[in-house]
Amino acid sequence: MKPIKSQTGIGKWLPRKFDDVKAAGTLQFTDDLRFGPELLHAAVVRSPIAHGEILSIDFSQALEVAGVVKVLVGEDFPHHFGLYLQDRTPMAIGRVRYVGEPVALVVAQEENIAREAAKKVQVQYRELEAVFDPVKAATHSGVLVHPELHTYNHVDFVLPQPHTNIGNWFKIRKGNPEEAFENAAHVFEEVVTCPQIAHGFLETHCSICQQDIASGEITIWTSSQSAFTVRDIIAKGIGFPLHKIRVIAPPIGGGFGGKAGMTIEALGLAAAMHPEIRGRPVKLFIPREEDMLTSWVRQGYVARIRMALDEQHRITGIHNTFWFDTGVSAEYGANPVRSAGYTSMGSYNIPNVWSDCYAVYTNKPFGGAYRGFGLPELMSALEVVVDIVSHRLGISPVEFRKKNMMRKGDTTCTGMPMHDHGLQAIIDRVAKDIAVEKKEPALRPGWKRGKGIALAIKAPAMPADASSSAIVKLNGDGTVEVLAATMDMGQGTYTAYAQMVSEELSIPYEKIQVSFPDTKSHPYDWQTVASRSCWSMGMAVKRAAVDVRNQLLALFSEFWQTPVDTITLEYGTVMCRKLGKTSAIDEKVQNGFKMPDGMLKGGPIIGRGSFIPPDIVYPDPDTGQSPKSVVHFTLGAVGMDLEVDPTTGAIAINRVSSGYDVGKAITPANLRGQIEGGTLQGISACLMEGLAYDEKGKLLTPDFTDYKIATTLDTPGEIISFWEEVPEELSPYGNRGVGEHSMIAPAPAINNAVFNATGSRIHSYPLSRERVFKALKAQRNGENDFVEWPYALDVAFKKAKKKWD
Amino acid sequence: MHDFLLERPDTLRAAHDLLQRYGTKAMLKAGGTDLLIWIKRGVVLPECLVDLSLIPLLQELSLSEAEMCIGAGVSVARFLSAEAISTHFPALVDACNSHSDPLVRNRATVVGNVCSAVPSGDLIAPLFAYDTQLEIHGPTGSRSCGIDEFITGPRKTTLQPGEIVTCLHVPLPKPPSSGSYQKAMRREALDIAQAGVCCVFSGKAQEPAGRKVRLTFSAVSAKPVRALKAEHILEQANQLDESMLQEVAILARQAVAPITDVRASSEYRLDMVAELTRRAVRACFAERGEA
Amino acid sequence: MPGKKEVWCTVNGKKTRLLAAGNTTLLQALRDIGVTSVKRGCEEGECGACTVILDGLPQKSCIVLAQEVEGATILTSEGLVQNGTLHPIQQAFIDEGAIQCGFCTPGMVLSTWALLQSNPNPTDEQIKQALSGNLCRCTGYAGIQRAVKKSAKLLAPKLQGGDSQ
């Protein structure tokens, strides 16, 4: 008989944790926290120029505004911060490097006063030449965004190139690519470009910082995916002990990577730690129009991919060059570049690989983590190239992909063996769902219909030592509290943890609560990123729950004087069928068991679980090779059935099919949500999103007036979401990460379907209406390939495709 | 946001008094859906906002034998829901439905869209096409003026200090009438037009007065313009044919002068003017069963 | 600068005093009295996270001035909860996977409420139209669409009897 029976364990469809208070609107996000009149408010003075020396800052007029408490400048808080590379200060010191960079912080009694006073701060600059194009910045720019790059601290797996604009250079050298290209029957070379894009979460950044005047302890309430990493980065940045920094992360209104690492916290802290302010909480709320200037955006990129094939249409070699536009800071952006690099074979078995991935500094807002972390970028290029190649070779894109697909035992570009997965079944399902080979008439008169597919692959992209820990507390009434410092930002991880605990303890789901992170109470977790939580923290939570169970069973074993294996846990009740005994989980688990010998034993039961990936080896810096570079890969595929309006360039999606091999679906409700949500986010990015700048580097799309994201009316006719379950070996329940993956393949699938519909291949994202229209116009002049340099305003580089070697 | 005094007069008289008192430091507010954003962005810095929404007179929405009257307080949604009235102005209905989103339409006013006088104002093109007259009350009397006399450039109008646009008089188009507003935008909802084209037909071609055609535009000219040559061709046309449509589209392009900005390039806007003109004209013919 | 004024209105059935300067938005005034369901998403009328029902109509409270709501009746998502029980629309949002981060949810719920008041049996297209002013970045709107349809079913008999606030 199964020793644990639960109706609410893994795999069940259950109402998600915190959905009731979200529906009512009573859940408190950071901006909803209330402080007394001691609360101060900060507003940011920003640079109007992209690159220049600060000659003077005159804030005397701002100080005269009633209610203004203090104005701070960069020199007041001269600390460098960064997750992988300490290349950023909260405010500019001496030099500004992008339009929007903070140069001063106005602190006042009221938010509106701070904002109005900030307009009165006068800054004199000496303007310097700026660089906006990553290829130019990387290859032959006279402008150095960070002349001091060689002095910055960084982790040893990030390789900044001193006296250049390259913040990180990641290489793959596998097999003998040169030979592969020499002996190839076919060689293709293609270029794909994409601008920076923004997370577009509805909650902008907000944090409140406070330092105690007596103990010096710092408390930070912040909209963050990464309570512990905020603590780490700040501790390292200001040279402070970890136990004196407390980070509380209330619920966040969407993250998608944009609230990972440390974003605005140090800026608020600059004020909170100032001697004249210390003791008072200082709130920094970032209004929408400043949010893209204050936190990560997704890196833009220029990808050049060469592919070698043999007579049998097998891919024998690939040569990749990726210039990622990381903007002013590579502190986080250094890593998506690696992530793309060590997955630069895509989902394919390619014996010879040469990849150079650069994080390139430019005078623009900073690039960093965004759902998919390098892979939507890479796959938006690679999956298009695969499609081009299959078309040129005259084989079906589906067959070509299946033929070259990486199977169990094949090696990835880092030399790591691929594990088992269900990709083939997923490709077949997607192809069937959209009838990919069938040419169908458009549903809209005059439109052109097409089908396309693309594959997705991604591993959790994290340092080898990204660890998790959890505590499971059993209460005296049989309810459970789980301390797991994951941020449930909508993906629903707390629901998953509660189901895991229910699975291990049999206790009904509704009796299990999971709380939002507080570094003071919760045990350590690296960050809620990389689709790692249900896997890594899942291991810790499961271990903690098993620890509770073992303690509970041992106590009952002694209490009832019966071997442990005669005791079962059924729906929250402890039973021994042999002895006919039953007990609720009650005060005994808190106040101790009075054992047959009359002695009290036990006391509060707390389970603990820790996890660190046991066998990851950093890729060799010169070759990128490693016996195990990542913990696992999640693979999947997307099929698009769409149509294009040739008269306007509009695209309407009839149907999307999107499937992933998740290993095991812990919470199907969340899984469906992640697939549906990521699919539309990917569609939106592909069809309408991109940060646009004027020729002086001023962001033209700072808010929702001009940074458009999909509305209800931009949704596909149908999203089919499904999953396969080929279990992962090292995993709590065989599950793999999937939160980011649904964002990876929609864009290339759309691109491929547009080609199928029109015969025009668009090499530049987004596939906005205007761009599609232009591409179709160019097609009438015989141009079937359409490229628009995303940095077209940088006129000298309009033709860079021909120049960059 | 810059602070200001909000005054909420309940008579036109009181509103005029306030305007007199504050002079150029006052601004008029109806729905305020544009104005509040301008203030937030620091584009305008009024000391006083004179809110017109409590003045009963300005809530008029009526239809007589000759015309529709839309008061300055009438929201876009209210116009849309007054179907007995709005049905006579299909191009304006199209434009209202494409304007912003259902929530904003509950607050934004029809008159406010005209007074904001931004080139992309969705309602301006159809109101112009329907030969709308603005009724303007000043401290010493009232005057009336057409849309193209009123709007002189982006956010510029001939409204003088102390004057209030109280209502729009929109003549009932002579039957049989048809109209269409076509809009290009970056996504399917809640966007500023990249280009908008409005076409209105009224009267019969066969009758002595002839068919009257208006072809007007959004987001592609600094101030309201008509494609006069194209209108003339359409007024003479007995039926829809592709070569005529092509000529009309070309003439429409020639009538406008769009700029390039982050929303669209001038080239795309011109191409959309041609395409949307074809669509609007086709729709007008189709509505009359003449397609 | 002009000072703050008292504004009396009805919020979720209760007579309520707001304190507002000329430039105080309804969004800010409601948040100041602890109404957390109205969110600062863009403060420019572009996202819908601050949606309220103002005198029966869904509106974006960031582009309404607080001094304009003197005597008005305001309903927020909190006001749909009766005696600790969620409104059927709120429950449908939970049941159909219409909620992820929850930031857009109260606004979506209210736009749904307003839609079903005026159109108890909307088509898919009408649902999309009615919610097109409320942005959601998490769900892809698929769950929301399901939830609105389910809400319509749940409320069908009730609405005929005249469901009020």
Side-chain angles (χ1 to χ4, degrees):
Chain A
M1 189 183 58
K2 198 172 168 240
I4 307 153
K5 290 186 183 173
S6 167
Q7 284 173 331
T8 55
I10 60 162
K12 299 289 194 301
W13 291 74
L14 294 165
R16 296 154 24 102
K17 295 293 180 191
F18 294 100
D19 270 7
D20 50 354
V21 281
K22 288 175 179 175
T26 55
L27 183 69
Q28 293 195 329
F29 295 81
T30 303
D31 189 31
D32 300 327
L33 300 178
R34 287 294 172 265
F35 294 77
E38 75 275 23
L39 183 67
L40 296 174
H41 298 265
V44 185
V45 179
R46 297 178 182 280
S47 168
I49 62 167
H51 198 187
E53 280 173 41
I54 300 173
L55 300 178
S56 67
I57 303 178
D58 176 4
F59 48 78
S60 53
Q61 283 183 53
L63 280 176
E64 282 168 19
V65 176
V68 170
V69 172
K70 183 79 197 163
V71 179
L72 295 113
V73 297
E75 284 82 356
D76 291 320
F77 203 64
H79 306 288
H80 278 76
F81 296 90
L83 178 58
Y84 300 113
L85 167 63
Q86 288 183 332
D87 65 2
R88 126 176 133 91
T89 53
M91 284 175 274
I93 300 174
R95 179 204 278 249
V96 291
R97 301 167 212 259
Y98 72 99
V99 176
E101 181 161 8
V103 291
L105 194 67
V106 177
V107 184
Q109 305 282 4
E110 288 177 25
E111 189 179 309
N112 200 42
I113 293 173
R115 270 189 219 303
E116 289 302 308
K119 294 174 188 165
K120 297 184 188 288
V121 175
Q122 285 168 2
V123 187
Q124 302 294 322
Y125 301 93
R126 188 174 74 83
E127 219 166 325
L128 299 169
E129 190 190 339
V131 62
F132 305 116
D133 177 330
V135 179
K136 181 178 175 183
T139 53
H140 43 298
S141 167
V143 177
L144 282 184
V145 180
H146 287 274
E148 330 77 344
L149 180 57
H150 58 285
T151 67
Y152 297 157
N153 294 324
H154 60 87
V155 297
D156 53 12
F157 58 86
V158 161
L159 301 171
Q161 305 294 305
H163 314 296
T164 74
N165 285 317
I166 294 170
N168 188 22
W169 180 10
F170 182 80
K171 295 177 228 179
I172 294 285
R173 307 287 185 261
K174 180 198 180 192
N176 191 337
E178 212 168 303
E179 205 177 275
F181 278 91
E182 263 170 33
N183 300 333
H186 312 275
V187 172
F188 299 95
E189 179 174 328
E190 299 294 336
V191 171
V192 178
T193 72
C194 186
Q196 296 167 315
I197 68 167
H199 304 80
F201 31 60
L202 290 195
E203 180 211 30
T204 62
H205 289 79
C206 183
S207 75
I208 300 112
C209 301
Q210 185 174 25
Q211 184 176 31
D212 188 87
I213 53 165
S215 67
E217 287 185 12
I218 292 166
T219 306
I220 301 171
W221 295 261
T222 185
S223 52
S224 170
Q225 296 172 229
S226 313
F228 279 97
T229 292
V230 168
R231 189 178 73 157
D232 276 357
I233 292 174
I234 284 180
K236 287 189 183 120
I238 63 175
F240 223 63
L242 290 176
H243 74 295
K244 286 198 161 189
I245 304 172
R246 177 183 185 184
V247 179
I248 298 170
I252 63 174
F256 315 117
K259 292 165 185 166
M262 189 207 70
T263 54
I264 64 162
E265 292 84 358
L267 187 53
L269 194 60
M273 291 184 77
H274 193 275
E276 291 168 36
I277 295 174
R278 194 179 295 152
R280 297 185 70 170
V282 180
K283 180 171 178 175
L284 178 62
F285 173 85
I286 307 295
R288 173 64 56 190
E289 60 273 19
E290 294 181 23
D291 206 67
M292 290 177 206
L293 302 172
T294 314
S295 65
W296 324 119
V297 295
R298 191 173 89 180
Q299 294 166 311
Y301 64 88
V302 174
R304 185 182 53 183
I305 298 177
R306 291 175 71 211
M307 201 175 267
L309 296 105
D310 67 13
E311 295 288 357
Q312 286 78 43
H313 302 154
R314 285 183 303 233
I315 308 172
T316 54
I318 192 165
H319 186 138
N320 300 307
T321 314
F322 303 131
W323 287 277
F324 282 92
D325 181 355
T326 198
V328 74
S329 170
E331 66 121 315
Y332 208 140
N335 205 25
V337 170
R338 290 176 76 243
S339 172
Y342 57 61
T343 325
S344 55
M345 70 294 162
S347 309
Y348 305 100
N349 180 35
I350 308 179
N352 305 293
V353 183
W354 179 293
S355 299
D356 292 301
C357 306
Y358 305 101
V360 186
Y361 288 120
T362 58
N363 293 108
K364 291 201 289 233
F366 45 106
Y370 188 125
R371 191 179 202 167
F373 209 64
L375 275 302
E377 298 93 309
L378 168 60
M379 293 303 144
S380 293
L382 181 58
E383 281 295 316
V384 164
V385 175
V386 164
D387 221 66
I388 293 172
V389 169
S390 64
H391 180 73
R392 299 246 170 95
L393 295 175
I395 17 173
S396 103
V398 174
E399 288 316 307
F400 182 69
R401 284 181 170 86
K402 279 159 73 174
K403 183 185 188 105
N404 283 288
M405 194 182 92
M406 197 165 24
R407 292 180 167 78
K408 184 181 176 185
D410 292 342
T411 57
T412 72
C413 66
T414 62
M416 164 187 162
M418 187 52 158
H419 52 74
D420 200 7
H421 59 74
L423 182 58
Q424 175 132 355
I426 292 171
I427 297 175
D428 288 340
R429 163 82 193 267
V430 159
K432 188 167 157 267
D433 280 346
I434 61 157
V436 68
E437 310 282 3
K438 195 171 156 197
K439 198 75 192 159
E440 292 180 88
L443 305 174
R444 298 158 185 83
W447 293 47
K448 294 181 174 181
R449 187 165 175 183
K451 320 274 182 75
I453 73 161
L455 306 187
I457 180 171
K458 187 185 180 292
M462 54 197 189
D465 57 1
S467 59
S468 297
S469 57
I471 289 173
V472 172
K473 298 191 285 180
L474 196 53
N475 292 330
D477 62 353
T479 61
V480 178
E481 286 170 79
V482 181
L483 297 178
T486 299
M487 168 52 67
D488 189 338
M489 50 196 148
Q491 82 279 40
T493 327
Y494 297 166
T495 304
Y497 296 161
Q499 289 184 238
M500 289 176 184
V501 170
S502 179
E503 181 79 19
E504 299 307 325
L505 295 178
S506 90
I507 293 172
Y509 170 82
E510 62 273 16
K511 291 190 173 186
I512 302 164
Q513 190 55 295
V514 189
S515 51
F516 285 88
D518 177 345
T519 59
K520 208 80 171 172
S521 57
H522 284 54
Y524 180 81
D525 179 46
W526 179 57
Q527 305 193 73
T528 307
V529 295
S531 306
R532 67 185 278 276
S533 293
C534 271
W535 178 79
S536 175
M537 181 60 90
M539 290 293 283
V541 167
K542 182 181 180 185
R543 284 173 180 178
V546 170
D547 186 17
V548 167
R549 188 176 75 213
N550 290 340
Q551 294 176 50
L552 187 68
L553 292 179
L555 286 163
F556 269 100
S557 167
E558 187 176 343
F559 185 56
W560 283 340
Q561 296 288 301
T562 183
V564 164
D565 60 11
T566 65
I567 303 172
T568 58
L569 295 171
E570 301 185 20
Y571 316 114
T573 301
V574 191
M575 300 181 85
C576 175
R577 291 186 190 268
K578 201 175 97 188
L579 301 176
K581 285 185 187 263
T582 296
S583 172
I585 298 174
D586 56 18
E587 286 175 350
K588 292 194 286 295
V589 302
Q590 181 179 294
N591 303 343
F593 286 66
K594 195 168 185 188
M595 292 303 180
D597 60 6
M599 306 294 275
L600 270 169
K601 271 202 180 166
I605 295 179
I606 302 167
R608 59 165 288 273
S610 287
F611 178 74
I612 187 160
D615 49 3
I616 300 305
V617 180
Y618 282 117
D620 178 88
D622 294 322
T623 65
Q625 300 302 292
S626 154
K628 190 168 182 187
S629 52
V630 297
V631 297
H632 58 249
F633 288 96
T634 303
L635 294 102
V638 169
M640 288 278 172
D641 168 356
L642 56 74
E643 34 202 81
V644 180
D645 178 359
T647 63
T648 62
I651 293 170
I653 296 167
N654 297 325
R655 173 182 282 186
V656 195
S657 174
S658 182
Y660 304 88
D661 181 0
V662 301
K664 171 74 192 170
I666 307 288
T667 55
N670 286 328
L671 186 47
R672 179 183 63 179
Q674 287 301 294
I675 297 177
E676 290 172 343
T679 300
L680 187 68
Q681 207 172 92
I683 290 170
S684 180
C686 178
L687 297 185
M688 62 187 87
E689 296 183 35
L691 272 64
Y693 299 89
D694 71 8
E695 69 283 5
K696 293 282 208 176
K698 182 186 169 215
L699 183 63
L700 299 173
T701 53
D703 51 33
F704 286 141
T705 306
D706 283 309
Y707 192 87
K708 290 297 184 201
I709 64 173
T711 71
T712 47
L713 287 165
D714 301 290
T715 53
E718 185 185 6
I719 300 178
I720 300 169
S721 53
F722 69 95
W723 46 87
E724 290 287 320
E725 297 185 321
V726 177
E728 186 60 34
E729 258 176 58
L730 175 65
S731 169
Y733 299 97
N735 55 297
R736 286 183 206 97
V738 69
E740 298 163 282
H741 299 73
S742 51
M743 174 94 189
I744 296 174
I750 289 172
N751 194 318
N752 296 340
V754 168
F755 173 77
N756 181 255
T758 65
S760 173
R761 176 62 70 179
I762 301 173
H763 293 248
S764 302
Y765 293 96
L767 274 58
S768 63
R769 292 172 176 187
E770 175 166 357
R771 179 164 286 147
V772 172
F773 182 82
K774 273 163 124 173
L776 297 179
K777 221 172 161 183
Q779 192 185 27
R780 288 194 287 274
N781 297 325
E783 289 173 47
N784 284 321
D785 285 273
F786 188 75
V787 189
E788 275 192 298
W789 197 248
Y791 318 101
L793 296 167
D794 213 343
V795 181
F797 268 74
K798 255 187 173 168
K799 295 187 167 62
K801 187 189 167 189
K802 293 172 191 160
K803 276 191 185 174
W804 59 32
D805 280 320
Chain B
M1 201 200 303
H2 163 81
D3 200 6
F4 47 81
L5 192 68
L6 180 72
E7 292 284 3
R8 311 190 75 209
D10 53 10
T11 64
L12 209 48
R13 186 66 209 242
H16 280 300
D17 290 347
L18 284 162
L19 290 180
Q20 190 119 34
R21 190 179 333 147
Y22 288 96
T24 54
K25 291 170 183 167
M27 286 188 81
L28 291 166
K29 171 197 156 306
T33 54
D34 274 343
L35 183 57
L36 293 185
I37 294 164
W38 296 0
I39 296 172
K40 176 172 175 262
R41 292 181 179 178
V43 178
V44 290
L45 301 168
E47 271 182 28
C48 173
L49 283 196
V50 179
D51 177 25
L52 303 176
S53 55
L54 295 186
I55 303 173
L57 183 72
L58 304 184
Q59 294 300 327
E60 183 182 351
L61 173 62
S62 63
L63 186 70
S64 68
E65 274 173 25
E67 62 172 33
M68 165 173 69
C69 174
I70 305 180
V74 175
S75 71
V76 176
R78 206 180 131 210
F79 166 74
L80 283 171
S81 62
E83 283 173 25
I85 297 175
S86 65
T87 185
H88 298 285
F89 305 93
L92 185 57
V93 169
D94 285 352
C96 286
N97 278 318
S98 77
H99 178 66
S100 195
D101 68 57
L103 284 70
V104 174
R105 294 200 287 266
N106 281 332
R107 188 144 206 98
T109 61
V110 176
V111 174
N113 196 256
V114 178
C115 293
S116 287
V118 293
S120 58
D122 285 307
L123 313 193
I124 297 169
L127 289 168
F128 186 31
Y130 284 116
D131 294 332
T132 300
Q133 290 286 311
L134 289 81
E135 186 178 328
I136 300 170
H137 277 235
T140 54
S142 62
R143 67 181 174 108
S144 158
C145 97
I147 296 273
D148 57 337
E149 302 161 58
F150 181 69
I151 298 174
T152 55
R155 290 179 177 165
K156 287 200 181 81
T157 67
T158 56
L159 196 70
Q160 299 301 307
E163 285 188 329
I164 298 170
V165 179
T166 53
C167 74
L168 304 179
H169 297 278
V170 193
L172 262 180
K174 202 170 172 199
S177 154
S178 57
S180 172
Y181 178 73
Q182 301 281 336
K183 178 174 176 180
M185 46 186 177
R186 292 167 289 185
R187 63 179 181 192
E188 284 295 303
L190 183 47
D191 196 10
I192 295 159
Q194 295 170 309
V197 175
C198 180
C199 185
V200 171
F201 283 19
S202 55
K204 275 192 191 142
Q206 296 81 358
E207 285 173 5
R211 174 200 291 142
K212 195 172 83 178
V213 174
R214 288 285 182 273
L215 198 55
T216 59
F217 308 92
S218 298
V220 287
S221 59
K223 62 185 288 292
V225 292
R226 285 166 54 190
L228 293 167
K229 287 179 188 164
E231 289 177 1
H232 185 70
I233 289 176
L234 289 167
E235 282 170 352
Q236 306 306 317
N238 285 323
Q239 58 183 27
L240 183 66
D241 79 72
E242 284 304 313
S243 68
M244 180 270 291
L245 205 51
Q246 192 52 25
E247 197 184 348
V248 165
I250 290 167
L251 291 170
R253 282 178 69 117
Q254 289 168 356
V256 299
I259 58 159
T260 292
D261 67 11
V262 71
R263 290 159 197 161
S265 69
S266 158
E267 295 77 17
Y268 183 68
R269 290 181 202 265
L270 284 171
D271 286 331
M272 288 308 101
V273 163
E275 171 59 20
L276 301 180
T277 298
R278 284 189 281 267
R279 291 184 183 191
V281 170
R282 274 198 205 105
C284 284
F285 274 106
E287 216 181 307
R288 298 153 65 94
E290 293 174 14
Chain C
M1 244 334 92
K4 290 191 177 184
K5 271 190 189 166
E6 274 190 11
V7 177
W8 285 91
C9 56
T10 304
V11 178
N12 297 327
K14 294 193 183 87
K15 265 264 170 270
T16 304
R17 188 188 70 151
L18 307 175
L19 267 184
N23 67 353
T24 305
T25 60
L26 176 59
L27 166 65
Q28 196 55 52
L30 288 172
R31 291 183 57 79
D32 285 347
I33 59 162
V35 178
T36 53
S37 68
V38 286
K39 302 294 188 194
R40 294 205 269 177
C42 71
E43 297 174 276
E44 294 193 345
E46 290 280 350
C47 80
C50 66
T51 301
V52 296
I53 306 292
L54 175 55
D55 289 332
L57 297 173
Q59 306 208 27
K60 293 178 168 174
S61 65
C62 69
I63 46 176
V64 176
L65 293 171
Q67 290 186 7
E68 291 182 80
V69 301
E70 179 71 47
T73 300
I74 295 156
L75 174 69
T76 70
S77 199
E78 289 98 334
L80 290 176
V81 183
Q82 296 291 324
N83 301 321
T85 304
L86 296 180
H87 189 278
I89 294 173
Q90 293 168 324
Q91 191 58 49
F93 268 63
I94 295 175
D95 296 342
E96 293 299 329
I99 303 175
Q100 286 192 26
C101 82
F103 209 77
C104 76
T105 309
M108 287 285 183
V109 164
L110 291 177
S111 280
T112 304
W113 183 90
L115 167 68
L116 298 179
Q117 286 286 311
S118 61
N119 180 0
N121 191 21
T123 62
D124 283 359
E125 185 60 22
Q126 286 168 335
I127 294 171
K128 288 182 180 182
Q129 287 285 354
L131 300 185
S132 63
N134 293 82
L135 296 178
C136 168
R137 189 61 154 173
C138 299
T139 64
Y141 305 104
I144 294 170
Q145 190 82 8
R146 286 191 292 269
V148 180
K149 292 174 89 164
K150 182 170 184 179
S151 301
K153 274 192 193 143
L154 290 172
L155 290 172
K158 232 177 154 183
L159 275 170
Q160 284 159 9
D163 186 26
S164 72
Q165 296 168 20

